[in-house]
Amino acid sequence: MHAALAAFVCSGYVHAVADVPEPIIPVEERRGPQGPELDDMNDPSPEPGGSVADASRSKRPRLVVPLRRREAEGPPAAPRGPLSGLSGGGAGPSPSSGLEGPSARPLPRAHGGVYLTPRMTAIFGGLFGLATVTSIIALLIQVVPPRNERALIAGAGLTQASTQESAKGGPNAQPMKRKREPVPGPWRLSELAKDPSVQIVSGTIDRKSFVEALAEKDVPKAQTYRIMKAFEGTRKFDKCGRKDKFFAALDRATKRVRAFEYEISSLEVYQAREDQGGILAGTRLDMKVAEAEVVGAFYVSKDVVASSLAGGLEDGILTTIDDALGGRISSEAFEEGSTVRVIAVEETALGMFARYKKIVALEYRPADPAEKPIRIYAFHGQEARGYWDDHGKQPYSGGWRSPLPGAPVTSHFNPKRLHPVLKRPMPHNGTDLGAPTGTPVYSAYKGTVDWVGPAGPSGNLVTIMHPNGVQTGYAHLSRFAAGIKVGMKLGVHQLVGYVGSTGRSTGPHLHFSAKKDGKFFDALTLQMDGERVLPPIDRAAFLEAKAELDRRLDAIPLPEPPPEKPAPAAAAPGAPPSPAGSAAPA
């Protein structure tokens, strides 16, 4: 259809060009023998019986049509068209020639064909080519279906979103756990549960002795001593852990112990089982313990434990990380938006995860890019042992940190100090650290918050009770950290508030105090930020090991933040609720 339309347009254009009449040239009326008509000058020989002058005098004035126009015209009655100049005719004069009398002679006929100038030929060729291209495009449009770009973009967006959600730990993504294959292990007491004549009891030692713990589960005392006799030379039960578990398989009729298991961990399990002679013999089970090095990273969100699990690590990694940090900072103080990259050694029992044995290398990158990341390395040299930072230092045992790192001491602990405001002797039961208003204040050690609020002369006060019985105080704060409250667990170097000058104060500073057994003591004796330096004999080996571990840490990709959960669409104001069971409009 498009090709026919293009041909019709082209042919019509040619007709319109060919049908434009050339200008008719008016000729003056000439009388006398001086000026023959232009038409007669084409034929100098007159008709018989007359002269050229006679013929000239017998004709009336007229308009002369140029020769090219007369050659291209056909008979008057012939229809106009592209082939109008090809019609045949007799030898007589053409009625449209305007010749009368015996001197009229027929005009010469042009041979068949349409005469086009070179310019018109070029135009016609271009239009014909354009019509051909248009026809081909029209055919392609009919054969090839149009692409739905919106659908393609929407599909690509959904695919990309689902891929990112799975990779980044989105709301529907599952934690990236390692695939593990269980290994066949030894016989276990749990298989006796299928025997109806056997009763299985279990419990935890807690704070009780071994005999008392079994007596609470109705295990006869004689059978308890029988168990202890079976483990002679293998395991003693005079010192038991609070979390140690036990399982006993008792004969329902006689309360005789047919099997017993004592589990310290999934790696360490002891078992006693009756043989065919009824003798109870104890041994340690072979749990096929194996070690493997693992690599992981996670983005810290509001829930640090859930963040580590979402990063593919197992439960217990944070405890191992805290051991490696050694008081520089603790996992409870990890800021939302920070990242952790870790190389660790795990132990498995029967092919399944049991625990993390140690940290090989660790990087904690704060949420603020201006803060320097913390890197820790496990290194054992000739004299060096334990975890070291990138400067070859490790904190002293205890791991107390300064609440204002780098702040100068403006007033020391002094029980006989002259008070600067009251101008009378008053004990100074803390250490003043100078800093501008708004400077962050951190916890000196992990513990539990036991006071948050105004405290008279101390102004805004936070106190923390630590596991070793020491209570620390942070006074004159301008404001408290967001979310801090009584009973909250804090880690080492976790934000508690900001420097201020509230209460009885002469200027912005932090009054840092320490108390034990109800008595204040000098907080500087806690050896805050105390460090030991790597022994010189191990420095070269440490730098070599550090360079290799840095390369491995840098090779771990930094985790991306999880995508935000889409906010639920709010209902339009005034819209009636949808009836039960009805589908929401798309």
Side-chain angles (χ1 to χ4, degrees), residues 413-492:
F413 176 80
N414 184 4
K416 300 180 180 180
R417 181 201 62 160
L418 179 67
H419 197 278
V421 177
L422 302 179
K423 304 300 181 181
R424 60 185 174 88
M426 277 189 73
H428 189 234
N429 294 324
T431 302
D432 289 347
L433 302 174
T437 300
T439 304
V441 177
Y442 301 96
S443 58
Y445 195 63
K446 60 184 179 182
T448 304
V449 179
D450 57 358
W451 176 268
V452 176
S458 297
N460 291 331
L461 175 69
V462 173
T463 60
I464 303 174
M465 181 60 69
H466 304 284
N468 50 13
V470 175
Q471 183 192 50
T472 56
Y474 312 80
H476 305 309
L477 300 176
S478 61
R479 57 192 177 97
F480 305 108
I484 191 170
K485 58 184 178 180
V486 175
M488 181 180 180
K489 300 289 184 181
L490 295 180
V492 184

Side-chain angles (χ1 to χ4, degrees), residues 477-559:
L477 300 176
S478 61
R479 57 192 177 97
F480 305 108
I484 191 170
K485 58 184 178 180
V486 175
M488 181 180 180
K489 300 289 184 181
L490 295 180
V492 184
H493 198 71
Q494 186 167 349
L495 184 67
V496 297
Y498 300 88
V499 172
S501 185
T502 57
R504 189 182 296 165
S505 172
T506 57
H509 71 283
L510 172 68
H511 178 83
F512 177 57
S513 62
K515 183 190 294 186
K516 188 171 185 178
D517 297 331
K519 297 180 180 180
F520 288 100
F521 66 92
D522 189 356
L524 296 183
T525 61
L526 295 173
Q527 294 185 346
M528 295 178 296
D529 298 331
E531 293 177 327
R532 59 171 58 94
V533 182
L534 191 76
I537 193 174
D538 292 323
R539 289 179 183 175
F542 171 75
L543 292 176
E544 183 178 354
K546 173 182 175 298
E548 173 62 20
L549 292 175
D550 281 337
R551 183 189 63 80
R552 296 181 60 188
L553 284 174
D554 292 336
I556 303 175
L558 284 172

Side-chain angles (χ1 to χ4, degrees), residues 208-222:
K208 301 177 288 292
S209 67
F210 182 74
V211 176
E212 292 173 344
L214 268 65
E216 285 187 356
K217 300 299 179 181
D218 294 332
V219 178
K221 185 174 292 187

Side-chain angles (χ1 to χ4, degrees), residues 229-417:
K229 179 69 175 178
F231 284 103
E232 279 188 355
T234 303
R235 169 72 189 181
K236 292 183 179 181
F237 297 97
D238 54 343
K239 295 181 180 180
C240 299
R242 294 178 54 186
K243 297 182 179 180
D244 294 353
K245 301 176 182 179
F246 63 88
F247 306 85
L250 305 176
D251 187 277
R252 291 185 181 272
T254 62
K255 295 293 182 178
R256 180 184 177 88
V257 174
R258 297 175 56 178
F260 179 81
E261 284 184 0
Y262 189 81
E263 182 177 329
I264 298 176
S265 68
S266 58
L267 302 173
E268 188 176 0
V269 180
Y270 297 88
Q271 184 187 92
R273 184 182 181 188
E274 282 187 340
D275 58 12
Q276 295 181 354
I279 298 176
L280 196 64
T283 184
R284 179 173 177 174
L285 296 181
D286 181 11
M287 302 302 292
K288 305 290 191 283
V289 178
E291 293 184 2
E293 198 171 272
V294 295
V295 174
F298 60 92
Y299 180 93
V300 179
S301 59
K302 293 182 179 179
D303 189 341
V304 183
V305 177
S307 300
S308 64
L309 297 178
L313 299 169
E314 302 286 350
D315 190 17
I317 186 63
L318 296 180
T319 302
T320 314
I321 287 176
D322 286 338
D323 293 339
L325 289 171
R328 296 175 180 86
I329 193 173
S330 61
S331 58
E332 295 94 342
F334 286 172
E335 300 175 348
E336 184 178 357
S338 59
T339 58
V340 177
R341 295 191 284 189
V342 62
I343 305 172
V345 175
E346 69 173 14
E347 287 184 320
T348 57
L350 301 179
M352 306 306 291
F353 174 81
R355 65 166 185 166
Y356 286 105
K357 185 176 182 180
K358 66 175 183 178
I359 297 294
V360 177
L362 165 71
E363 178 197 72
Y364 169 71
R365 188 178 293 267
D368 186 358
E371 297 186 29
K372 184 180 179 182
I374 299 175
R375 285 197 171 186
I376 305 297
Y377 314 90
F379 177 74
H380 298 274
Q382 298 183 32
E383 297 180 7
R385 295 288 186 275
Y387 296 100
W388 306 83
D389 62 15
D390 52 356
H391 297 292
K393 297 180 180 181
Q394 65 178 191
Y396 285 118
S397 177
W400 287 89
R401 297 291 306 276
S402 172
L404 279 176
V409 177
T410 58
S411 181
H412 289 270
F413 176 80
N414 184 4
K416 300 180 180 180
R417 181 201 62 160

